[in-house]
Amino acid sequence: MLLYTPTMIALLAGAWSLAAAAKAVAESPNHLRERQQSYGKISPKVVIVSMFSPEAEVWYENSLNSSVGDLLANNITVRGLSPLYPHVHCNEQGEVCQLTMGEAEINAATSMAAFVFSGLFDLTRTYFLLAGIAGVNPKLGTLGSVALSKYSVQVALQYEIDAREMPINFSTGYLPYGAYAPNEYPSIIYGTEVMELSENLRDVAAELAQQAELVDSADSADYCTRYVTSSGVYAAATASPSVIKCDSATSDVYYSGTLLSEAFENTTKLWTNQSTVTYCMSAQEDSAVLEVLMRATVWGLVDFSRAIAMRTGSDFDRPPPSVGAFQHLRLLDQNGFEIAIRNLYLAGVEIVTGIVAEWDSVFYEGIIPTNYIGDIIGTLGGEPDFGPGSLFDGKGFSVEPSGETSLTKRRILTRRKGRKTGGWM
Ligand SMILES: *[C@@H]1O[C@H](CO)[C@@H](O)[C@H](O)[C@H]1NC(C)=O
Ligand SMILES: *[C@@H]1O[C@H](CO)[C@@H](O)[C@H](O)[C@H]1NC(C)=O
Ligand SMILES: *[C@@H]1O[C@H](CO)[C@@H](O)[C@H](O)[C@H]1NC(C)=O
Ligand SMILES: *[C@@H]1O[C@H](CO)[C@@H](O)[C@H](O)[C@H]1NC(C)=O
Ligand SMILES: *[C@@H]1O[C@H](CO)[C@@H](O)[C@H](O)[C@H]1NC(C)=O
């Protein structure tokens, strides 16, 4: 494979703009496409992944003042991106790119798939920085906290009974697929329940992010003081924002309140087979993006060990004691949005510039993961350290020339009160 040096990219950019090159590739007949791709592809060192405008704007406005430069120097139209955000943006050299996917799981998965499978970019050595704001768990962080995750859990992928109709001894109306009680491991697996990222890269990213001088504000600090309790369970909420290592939940439903947040805290702990609560950020996209990056890795287009999931706290996922859930969600102003957006950039730009600065010495070759990485069914190979075990005997998914796949277990249909659901045996 041909890899480009920054100088070559700069030369290409001068002679023929990156956007024009990508457009030409997209529009050329198939027989020309392969040749053009060999010199027309942009191979970014880092791609920043935003969900909606404020998370993107903070980069456009501030990166000019960093070595990243103008992120709007190249706008590349990619088929299948969100109608609201139809371009991938790259700096002059094509070293750092950014795209906005649109919010929640469908937008995230569709946009990211359109991008990585577009064939317009060489993403084989690219680092992906998911950079979004989120609801923060006051047990582990506060407004403006910057969290870097190892696990992303699709917490609402469950049965749900309205809590007013649930059995008297249930602690929540959410019930894992195939289970008979909330604290049972799901026995029907869809494959997207849990994604595990490289812990070594997570730690390197946290070290870079720690160089940032994070901002706080008097107004948000004011709301945080409401979390003072005699037990100290929410002590993290009353501290200053900092870089923390803890996990992210993905749910289309923007849940809020103590009971749902605790239920999903339990879900995260159970599904990742951990003994402590590590759930600290509630968002709507991470698992969707990571599933796409994993599938692209299977086909050699992306390297899943280069994915970083970063979230900053813009609001608490549950109210302080003596404040109602609805009042907390909709009536009171927590004033966390602005510092979350600013810290997203401040921490994020340290990670981006850190990767670019040490490209030749460290990041080109990559940070070797020492933990299991990938999904709950072992798609990338290895044995997951959570869940019921690999469906591919630890070898990962592959397709033989005959079309046969490496799946070693059989799909079953289970019948529950007349309704059939799919699962794996
Ligand atoms: C650019 O960076 C300098 C030095 O860190 C800082 O003083 C200045 O306020 C920044 N300007 C903008 C527009 O962010
Ligand atoms: C890229 O698009 C932005 C608007 O999203 C615009 O401000 C900028 O000028 C465009 N860049 C180029 C090179 O056309
Ligand atoms: C709830 O009670 C029923 C009936 O006693 C029992 O079978 C079930 O295991 C209990 N479930 C939980 C989650 O405790
Ligand atoms: C979370 O799990 C703990 C321990 O099993 C349990 O006591 C608690 O009721 C659960 N919380 C919710 C909201 O399900
Ligand atoms: C995870 O926990 C479940 C039960 O809670 C268990 O069945 C499964 O074997 C555990 N997986 C690993 C890899 O430890």
Side-chain angles (χ1 to χ4, degrees):
M1 172 183 326
L2 190 57
L3 290 152
Y4 296 101
T5 63
T7 328
M8 285 166 72
I9 291 172
L11 282 172
L12 280 168
W16 190 26
S17 91
L18 297 175
K23 190 158 177 280
V25 170
E27 290 171 0
S28 68
N30 279 332
H31 66 279
L32 285 179
R33 205 172 275 185
E34 208 171 304
R35 261 190 66 207
Q36 289 186 345
Q37 278 179 347
S38 69
Y39 57 89
K41 275 195 187 181
I42 303 166
S43 51
K45 294 178 174 147
V46 188
V47 170
I48 300 154
V49 181
S50 318
M51 327 301 147
F52 73 138
S53 292
E55 293 165 354
E57 298 288 341
V58 72
W59 287 95
Y60 305 154
E61 284 161 13
N62 293 286
S63 66
L64 281 168
N65 207 15
S66 78
S67 57
V68 174
D70 184 7
L71 272 171
L72 299 175
N74 292 286
N75 301 329
I76 299 140
T77 312
V78 176
R79 286 175 286 189
L81 291 190
S82 161
L84 303 179
Y85 311 105
H87 307 296
V88 171
H89 303 282
C90 299
N91 69 356
E92 197 66 55
Q93 308 91 314
E95 285 189 333
V96 182
C97 298
Q98 180 276 341
L99 80 156
T100 308
M101 302 183 301
E103 292 165 273
E105 296 174 39
I106 293 174
N107 280 322
T110 311
S111 299
M112 187 50 71
F115 172 54
V116 300
F117 293 108
S118 69
L120 300 180
F121 300 83
D122 177 350
L123 303 170
T124 48
R125 290 186 187 268
T126 300
Y127 290 81
F128 290 84
L129 176 63
L130 277 72
I133 62 170
V136 57
N137 176 354
K139 291 179 182 171
L140 294 179
T142 191
L143 301 176
S145 282
V146 178
L148 289 150
S149 298
K150 177 167 126 180
Y151 291 104
S152 174
V153 180
Q154 195 183 4
V155 292
L157 194 67
Q158 305 196 52
Y159 305 122
E160 184 196 358
I161 299 169
D162 188 292
R164 287 164 296 191
E165 294 179 297
M166 73 189 183
I168 193 104
N169 57 359
F170 275 28
S171 56
T172 173
Y174 279 88
L175 195 62
Y177 291 150
Y180 293 91
N183 62 349
E184 271 176 32
Y185 209 92
S187 65
I188 295 170
I189 299 291
Y190 285 11
T192 57
E193 286 80 357
V194 180
M195 303 296 301
E196 184 170 347
L197 297 167
S198 165
E199 192 172 353
N200 290 346
L201 178 62
R202 192 272 310 262
D203 292 346
V204 166
E207 238 171 81
L208 290 169
Q210 265 151 11
Q211 294 170 25
E213 259 188 60
L214 301 179
V215 295
D216 200 353
S217 80
D219 289 342
S220 59
D222 196 41
Y223 197 81
C224 294
T225 60
R226 294 172 181 250
Y227 285 86
V228 173
T229 62
S230 53
S231 70
V233 62
Y234 295 148
T238 60
S240 301
S242 63
V243 176
I244 53 182
K245 296 175 186 175
C246 43
D247 299 326
S248 168
T250 297
S251 164
D252 271 343
V253 174
Y254 190 135
Y255 60 85
S256 188
T258 305
L259 291 177
L260 281 179
S261 296
E262 279 184 8
F264 292 140
E265 222 169 76
N266 285 348
T267 301
T268 303
K269 189 173 132 189
L270 178 69
W271 293 11
T272 59
N273 287 66
Q274 295 183 97
S275 52
T276 56
V277 169
T278 61
Y279 151 81
C280 68
M281 290 288 170
S282 154
Q284 298 174 297
E285 299 86 7
D286 294 4
S287 293
V289 175
L290 295 172
E291 174 73 21
V292 173
L293 295 181
M294 191 201 66
R295 292 204 198 167
T297 297
V298 166
W299 296 97
L301 299 171
V302 159
D303 176 356
F304 190 76
S305 76
R306 298 179 184 227
I308 303 166
M310 179 177 78
R311 288 279 174 181
T312 60
S314 62
D315 57 313
F316 287 107
D317 65 358
R318 68 198 82 183
S322 81
V323 174
F326 176 68
Q327 200 184 7
H328 169 76
L329 177 67
R330 299 296 297 140
L331 304 181
L332 297 176
D333 197 344
Q334 305 178 37
N335 292 304
F337 183 80
E338 201 184 308
I339 58 169
I341 291 287
R342 286 189 60 199
N343 287 343
L344 194 65
Y345 173 77
L346 291 169
V349 77
E350 296 291 345
I351 296 174
V352 172
T353 55
I355 290 172
V356 173
E358 291 188 81
W359 184 256
D360 291 338
S361 53
V362 180
F363 292 99
Y364 172 81
E365 285 299 342
I367 309 277
I368 309 290
T370 47
N371 60 311
Y372 170 81
I373 60 167
D375 63 2
I376 193 170
I377 56 175
T379 299
L380 294 181
E383 270 301 329
D385 51 1
F386 56 91
S390 168
L391 288 180
F392 303 99
D393 275 351
K395 296 188 196 84
F397 167 78
S398 61
V399 186
E400 300 300 318
S402 67
E404 239 173 85
T405 71
S406 49
L407 201 60
T408 57
K409 293 176 190 174
R410 288 198 18 242
R411 191 168 165 76
I412 52 156
L413 287 178
T414 49
R415 195 177 276 277
R416 298 267 178 266
K417 296 203 169 69
R419 185 137 51 115
K420 278 183 185 160
T421 64
W424 296 95
M425 191 155 59

